[in-house]
Amino acid sequence: MKSIQSKIVDKDNFGKFGEVVKFPTGKTTSQDITYKFWSNIANYKIEGKTEIGICTVYKQDENIIEGVERHLHTPEILIPIDAPFVLPLLKEGEPDESIESFKVEIGEAVIVNESVWHGACLPVGKDSASYFVIFRLNTPVEDVEKKSISPTLIEI
């Protein structure tokens, strides 16, 4: 069985899969004594209405994935709520052996591009992790393609 080590997500190592959103450190767009606002820290395009869901994943004895899914008509935005998670990803056209995984912390988000294969997130440091899932309306019933991959151990 193949084993891969998870990476800390950053703009450079995640770029072929989508975009990383981290807390900005630059100049604010607007601020006063009651708030600071940073505009346009990430971009994505979704045709039509969107939906927001919540997924909760549970710690397993071993973090082995044997399947991935993708969406052909929408990017997918994932935002940790109560714990960091690790996200397994596989670029379209690449062999199963090229799967990678990325650790996403609370306060960060990732935008997974259309057609990128991805597994369910894996909780880090807790028995479960919940995260927001944002994509085109009705994606779970209209735009999910699944495939099996060689069993892969994800080291967190």
Side-chain angles (χ1 to χ4, degrees), residues 5-9 55-60 63 80-88 101-106 108 120-131 154-156:
Q5 182 65 48
S6 296
K7 304 169 188 172
I8 295 172
V9 71
C55 184
T56 300
V57 290
Y58 301 95
K59 182 179 177 180
Q60 303 298 307
N63 293 312
I81 297 171
D82 57 0
F85 59 70
V86 165
L87 172 63
S101 65
F102 298 90
K103 183 179 180 187
V104 182
E105 298 284 349
I106 294 174
E108 299 176 333
C121 296
L122 306 165
V124 175
K126 291 178 68 176
D127 289 337
S128 66
S130 295
Y131 52 96
I154 307 293
E155 296 182 30
I156 296 177

Coordinates of all heavy atoms in Angstrom, one line a residue, residues 5-9 55-60 63 80-88 101-106 108 120-131 154-156:
Q5 N 2.8 11.6 2.8 CA 2.9 12.5 3.9 C 2.1 13.8 3.6 O 2.3 14.3 2.5 CB 4.3 12.9 4.2 CG 4.5 13.8 5.4 CD 4.0 13.2 6.7 OE1 4.4 12.1 7.1 NE2 3.3 13.9 7.5
S6 N 1.2 14.2 4.5 CA 0.5 15.5 4.2 C 1.4 16.7 4.3 O 2.4 16.7 5.0 CB -0.6 15.6 5.2 OG -1.5 14.6 5.1
K7 N 1.1 17.7 3.5 CA 1.8 18.9 3.4 C 1.0 20.0 4.0 O -0.2 20.0 4.0 CB 2.1 19.3 1.9 CG 2.8 18.2 1.1 CD 2.8 18.6 -0.3 CE 3.3 17.5 -1.2 NZ 3.1 17.7 -2.6
I8 N 1.7 21.0 4.6 CA 1.0 22.2 5.0 C 0.6 23.0 3.8 O 1.5 23.2 2.9 CB 1.9 23.1 6.0 CG1 2.2 22.3 7.3 CG2 1.3 24.4 6.3 CD1 3.2 22.9 8.2
V9 N -0.6 23.4 3.7 CA -1.1 24.0 2.4 C -0.5 25.4 2.3 O -0.4 26.1 3.2 CB -2.6 24.0 2.4 CG1 -3.2 25.0 3.4 CG2 -3.2 24.3 1.0
C55 N -20.0 19.3 6.4 CA -19.6 17.9 6.4 C -18.9 17.6 7.7 O -18.0 18.5 8.1 CB -18.7 17.6 5.2 SG -18.3 15.8 5.1
T56 N -19.2 16.6 8.4 CA -18.4 16.2 9.6 C -17.8 14.8 9.2 O -18.4 13.9 8.8 CB -19.3 16.0 10.8 OG1 -19.9 17.3 11.1 CG2 -18.5 15.6 12.0
V57 N -16.5 14.8 9.5 CA -15.7 13.5 9.2 C -15.1 13.0 10.6 O -14.9 13.8 11.5 CB -14.6 13.8 8.2 CG1 -15.1 14.0 6.8 CG2 -13.7 14.9 8.6
Y58 N -14.9 11.7 10.6 CA -14.5 11.1 11.9 C -13.2 10.4 11.8 O -12.8 9.8 10.7 CB -15.6 10.1 12.3 CG -16.9 10.7 12.5 CD1 -17.8 10.8 11.4 CD2 -17.2 11.4 13.6 CE1 -19.1 11.4 11.6 CE2 -18.4 12.1 13.8 CZ -19.4 12.1 12.7 OH -20.6 12.7 12.9
K59 N -12.4 10.5 12.8 CA -11.1 9.8 12.9 C -11.2 8.3 12.7 O -12.1 7.7 13.3 CB -10.4 10.1 14.3 CG -9.1 9.5 14.4 CD -8.5 9.9 15.8 CE -7.2 9.3 16.0 NZ -6.6 9.6 17.3
Q60 N -10.4 7.7 11.9 CA -10.3 6.3 11.7 C -9.1 5.7 12.3 O -8.1 6.5 12.6 CB -10.3 6.0 10.2 CG -11.5 6.6 9.4 CD -12.8 6.1 9.9 OE1 -13.1 4.9 9.9 NE2 -13.7 7.0 10.3
N63 N -5.8 6.2 8.3 CA -6.3 7.2 7.3 C -6.1 6.6 5.9 O -5.2 7.1 5.2 CB -5.7 8.5 7.5 CG -6.1 9.2 8.8 OD1 -7.3 9.2 9.1 ND2 -5.2 9.7 9.5
P80 N -12.6 24.9 7.3 CA -12.7 24.2 8.6 C -13.4 25.0 9.6 O -13.3 26.3 9.6 CB -11.2 24.0 9.0 CG -10.3 24.6 8.0 CD -11.2 25.2 6.9
I81 N -14.2 24.4 10.4 CA -15.0 25.0 11.4 C -14.4 24.8 12.8 O -14.2 25.8 13.5 CB -16.5 24.5 11.4 CG1 -17.2 24.8 10.1 CG2 -17.3 25.1 12.6 CD1 -18.6 24.2 9.9
D82 N -14.2 23.6 13.2 CA -13.8 23.3 14.6 C -12.5 22.5 14.7 O -12.1 22.2 15.9 CB -15.0 22.5 15.3 CG -15.3 21.2 14.6 OD1 -14.7 20.9 13.5 OD2 -16.3 20.5 15.0
A83 N -11.9 22.2 13.6 CA -10.6 21.5 13.7 C -9.9 21.5 12.3 O -10.6 21.6 11.3 CB -10.8 20.0 14.1
P84 N -8.6 21.5 12.3 CA -8.0 21.4 11.0 C -8.3 20.1 10.3 O -8.8 19.1 11.0 CB -6.5 21.4 11.4 CG -6.4 21.8 12.8 CD -7.7 21.5 13.4
F85 N -8.1 20.0 9.0 CA -8.3 18.8 8.3 C -7.2 18.6 7.3 O -6.5 19.5 6.9 CB -9.7 18.7 7.6 CG -10.0 19.8 6.6 CD1 -9.4 19.8 5.4 CD2 -11.0 20.7 6.9 CE1 -9.7 20.8 4.5 CE2 -11.3 21.7 6.0 CZ -10.7 21.8 4.8
V86 N -7.1 17.3 6.8 CA -6.2 17.0 5.7 C -7.1 16.6 4.5 O -8.1 15.9 4.6 CB -5.3 15.9 6.1 CG1 -4.6 15.3 4.8 CG2 -4.2 16.4 7.0
L87 N -6.8 17.2 3.3 CA -7.6 17.0 2.1 C -6.7 16.3 1.1 O -5.7 16.8 0.6 CB -8.0 18.4 1.6 CG -8.7 18.4 0.2 CD1 -10.0 17.6 0.2 CD2 -8.9 19.8 -0.3
P88 N -7.1 15.0 0.7 CA -6.4 14.3 -0.4 C -6.9 14.8 -1.7 O -8.1 15.0 -1.9 CB -6.9 12.9 -0.2 CG -7.7 12.8 1.1 CD -8.1 14.2 1.4
S101 N -1.8 15.2 -0.3 CA -2.7 15.6 0.7 C -2.2 16.9 1.4 O -1.0 17.1 1.5 CB -3.0 14.5 1.7 OG -1.8 14.2 2.4
F102 N -3.1 17.7 1.8 CA -2.8 19.0 2.4 C -3.5 19.3 3.7 O -4.7 19.1 3.7 CB -3.2 20.1 1.3 CG -2.4 20.0 0.1 CD1 -2.9 19.2 -1.0 CD2 -1.2 20.6 -0.1 CE1 -2.2 19.1 -2.2 CE2 -0.5 20.5 -1.3 CZ -1.0 19.7 -2.3
K103 N -2.8 19.8 4.6 CA -3.4 20.2 5.9 C -3.9 21.6 5.8 O -3.2 22.5 5.5 CB -2.4 20.1 7.0 CG -2.9 20.4 8.4 CD -1.9 20.2 9.5 CE -2.4 20.5 10.9 NZ -1.4 20.5 11.9
V104 N -5.2 21.8 6.2 CA -5.8 23.1 6.2 C -6.2 23.5 7.6 O -7.0 22.7 8.2 CB -7.1 23.2 5.2 CG1 -7.7 24.5 5.2 CG2 -6.7 22.7 3.8
E105 N -5.8 24.6 8.1 CA -6.0 25.0 9.5 C -7.3 25.8 9.6 O -7.8 26.4 8.6 CB -4.8 25.9 10.0 CG -3.5 25.2 10.0 CD -3.3 24.3 11.2 OE1 -4.2 24.3 12.1 OE2 -2.3 23.5 11.2
I106 N -7.8 25.9 10.8 CA -8.9 26.8 11.1 C -8.4 28.2 10.7 O -7.3 28.6 11.0 CB -9.4 26.8 12.5 CG1 -10.0 25.4 12.8 CG2 -10.3 27.9 12.9 CD1 -10.3 25.1 14.3
E108 N -8.2 29.2 7.6 CA -7.8 29.1 6.2 C -9.0 28.5 5.4 O -10.0 28.0 6.0 CB -6.6 28.2 6.0 CG -5.4 28.7 6.7 CD -4.2 27.7 6.6 OE1 -4.4 26.5 6.5 OE2 -3.1 28.2 6.7
A120 N -12.7 12.6 0.9 CA -13.2 13.3 2.1 C -12.1 13.8 2.9 O -11.0 13.2 3.0 CB -14.1 12.4 2.9
C121 N -12.3 14.9 3.6 CA -11.2 15.4 4.5 C -11.1 14.5 5.7 O -12.0 13.7 6.0 CB -11.6 16.8 5.0 SG -11.7 18.0 3.7
L122 N -9.9 14.5 6.3 CA -9.6 13.7 7.4 C -9.3 14.6 8.6 O -8.6 15.6 8.5 CB -8.3 12.9 7.1 CG -8.4 12.0 5.9 CD1 -7.0 11.5 5.5 CD2 -9.3 10.9 6.1
P123 N -9.9 14.4 9.8 CA -9.7 15.3 10.9 C -8.3 15.2 11.4 O -7.6 14.2 11.4 CB -10.7 14.7 12.0 CG -10.9 13.3 11.6 CD -10.8 13.2 10.1
V124 N -7.8 16.3 12.0 CA -6.5 16.4 12.5 C -6.6 16.9 14.0 O -7.2 17.9 14.3 CB -5.6 17.5 11.8 CG1 -4.3 17.7 12.5 CG2 -5.4 17.1 10.3
G125 N -6.1 16.1 14.9 CA -6.0 16.4 16.3 C -7.2 16.3 17.1 O -7.2 16.6 18.3
K126 N -8.3 15.8 16.5 CA -9.6 15.6 17.2 C -10.2 14.3 16.6 O -9.8 13.8 15.6 CB -10.5 16.8 17.0 CG -10.1 18.0 17.7 CD -11.0 19.2 17.5 CE -12.4 19.0 18.1 NZ -13.3 20.1 18.0
D127 N -11.2 13.8 17.3 CA -11.9 12.6 16.9 C -12.9 12.9 15.7 O -13.3 12.0 15.0 CB -12.8 12.0 18.0 CG -11.9 11.3 19.0 OD1 -10.7 11.0 18.7 OD2 -12.4 11.2 20.2
S128 N -13.2 14.2 15.5 CA -14.0 14.6 14.3 C -13.7 16.0 13.9 O -13.1 16.8 14.7 CB -15.5 14.5 14.7 OG -15.9 15.4 15.7
A129 N -14.0 16.4 12.7 CA -13.8 17.7 12.2 C -15.0 18.1 11.3 O -15.5 17.2 10.5 CB -12.5 17.9 11.5
S130 N -15.6 19.3 11.5 CA -16.6 19.7 10.6 C -16.1 20.9 9.8 O -15.2 21.6 10.2 CB -17.8 20.2 11.4 OG -18.4 19.2 12.2
Y131 N -16.6 20.9 8.6 CA -16.2 22.0 7.7 C -17.3 22.4 6.7 O -18.2 21.6 6.4 CB -15.0 21.6 6.9 CG -15.0 20.3 6.1 CD1 -15.4 20.3 4.8 CD2 -14.7 19.1 6.7 CE1 -15.4 19.1 4.1 CE2 -14.8 17.9 6.0 CZ -15.1 17.9 4.7 OH -15.2 16.7 4.0
I154 N -2.8 7.9 4.2 CA -2.5 9.4 4.3 C -1.9 9.6 5.7 O -2.6 9.4 6.7 CB -3.8 10.2 4.2 CG1 -4.5 9.9 2.9 CG2 -3.4 11.7 4.3 CD1 -3.8 10.2 1.6
E155 N -0.7 10.0 5.8 CA 0.0 10.3 7.0 C -0.2 11.8 7.4 O 0.1 12.6 6.6 CB 1.5 10.0 7.0 CG 1.7 8.5 6.7 CD 3.2 8.2 6.7 OE1 4.0 8.9 7.4 OE2 3.5 7.2 6.0
I156 N -0.8 12.0 8.6 CA -1.1 13.3 9.0 C 0.0 13.9 9.9 O 0.5 13.2 10.7 CB -2.5 13.3 9.7 CG1 -3.6 12.9 8.7 CG2 -2.8 14.7 10.3 CD1 -4.9 12.8 9.3

